[in-house]
Amino acid sequence: RVVVSVDYRLAPEFKFPVPVEDCYTALNWVYNHTAELNANAEDIVVGGDSAGGNLATVMNILSNEKNDYYINSEEEYKNVYISPLLYDDVSALSPAIIVAADNDVLKDEGALYRDKLKKAGVKGDFMGEKQFDAIVVGAGFAGLYMLHKLRERGLKVRVIEAADGVG
């Protein structure tokens, strides 16, 4: 597997739709350069945490629609690219793991999005209901060390990693 980390421009300096456009541009670049990256164009996985998780979901929606977009609307907050929960038909979207910390402002929306996916027959897991004391995303060696140290302290920890059975 090839891992690409997108250094998208962040709010509040860069407001919507700049982060979405940055991520979609990066996703298209990866798709168009899979041969150079020794990657499979039909097996691209996107992920992120908090706002990055929201952007990952939006990349899924944009990829499903296969359309470019440019938005200049006063009602952008009602746009599915800001709130994927508003997307009508999620049945064609990929499975999702939704992670939200206890105080994450998107926690409730994450649980609702999981429910919407499941209702449409799409696998959706939600981690944010006090199942774990900590969640490590993208383990790698640093993440595995963190996992070990947190478990040493007696915490219930989950690792989300591409490899099965890591945490």
Side-chain angles (χ1 to χ4, degrees):
R1 292 225 183 233
V2 175
V3 176
V4 177
S5 178
V6 178
D7 188 19
Y8 64 89
R9 292 172 285 178
L10 303 173
E13 293 84 6
F14 298 96
K15 294 182 179 7
F16 175 83
V18 173
V20 172
E21 292 171 342
D22 287 353
C23 291
Y24 193 60
T25 298
L27 178 60
N28 281 311
W29 184 90
V30 169
Y31 181 81
N32 292 320
H33 292 85
T34 53
E36 295 169 46
L37 298 169
N38 195 28
N40 180 350
E42 301 306 315
D43 190 24
I44 295 175
V45 176
V46 294
D49 60 284
S50 193
N54 191 76
L55 287 167
T57 301
V58 171
M59 295 308 100
N60 192 350
I61 292 169
L62 286 171
S63 296
N64 185 57
E65 292 178 345
K66 298 187 187 310
N67 289 323
D68 288 329
Y69 73 98
Y70 294 95
I71 299 166
N72 279 318
S73 170
E74 293 179 10
E75 296 192 4
E76 288 178 343
Y77 66 94
K78 294 179 182 177
N79 191 297
V80 297
Y81 302 138
I82 287 182
S83 180
L85 185 59
L86 300 175
Y87 194 64
D88 287 332
D89 182 11
V90 298
S91 65
L93 298 182
S94 303
I97 298 172
I98 302 146
V99 180
D102 210 29
N103 294 316
D104 192 321
V105 297
L106 296 174
K107 181 180 176 188
D108 294 339
E109 287 83 353
L112 291 170
Y113 186 66
R114 179 243 0 242
D115 295 345
K116 185 170 188 168
L117 289 172
K118 285 187 176 183
K119 185 176 179 183
V122 178
K123 184 172 173 35
D125 292 325
F126 179 72
M127 296 176 190
E129 297 170 335
K130 291 287 189 182
Q131 299 159 321
F132 303 97
D133 296 312
I135 297 174
V136 179
V137 179
F141 290 114
L144 291 175
Y145 176 76
M146 186 184 312
L147 171 69
H148 170 73
K149 288 299 187 184
L150 291 169
R151 285 190 174 157
E152 265 187 349
R153 293 182 175 194
L155 297 176
K156 187 176 178 186
V157 182
R158 170 71 192 266
V159 173
I160 299 172
E161 178 65 57
D164 290 337
V166 174

